[in-house]
């Protein structure tokens, strides 16, 4: 991705905003840390070039 963007990609990692998480994606914002933890569980191996098979909580 960096090569395609000329090393200008910035990946923001965080819980998002309540209006976005609830309105756009339909996720409850009552446990934002849980969502970040799930995101990082899948993202870390991907950044190392590993395959990931992960199913988060509904």
């Amino acid at each position: 991705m960096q090569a395609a963007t000329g090393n200008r990609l910035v990946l923001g990692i965080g819980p998002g905003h309540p209006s976005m998480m609830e309105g756009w994606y339909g996720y409850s914002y009552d446990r934002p840390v849980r969502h970040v933890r799930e995101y990082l569980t899948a993202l870390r191996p991907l950044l190392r070039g590993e395959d990931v098979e992960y199913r988060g909580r509904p």
Side-chain angles (χ1 to χ4, degrees):
M1 184 65 69
Q2 289 293 61
T5 63
N7 291 324
R8 294 177 302 177
L9 176 72
V10 176
L11 180 63
I13 300 173
H17 297 281
S19 61
M20 179 182 68
M21 294 302 290
E22 293 177 336
W24 293 4
Y25 302 119
Y27 290 120
S28 171
Y29 200 77
D30 66 339
R31 298 194 183 261
V33 174
R34 184 181 84 186
H35 292 292
V36 173
R37 187 176 295 120
E38 288 185 354
Y39 180 58
L40 291 174
T41 298
L43 181 62
R44 284 183 187 129
L46 288 172
L47 292 174
R48 292 190 298 262
E50 300 170 4
D51 291 336
V52 175
E53 187 172 328
Y54 181 80
R55 180 175 286 233
R57 293 181 178 180

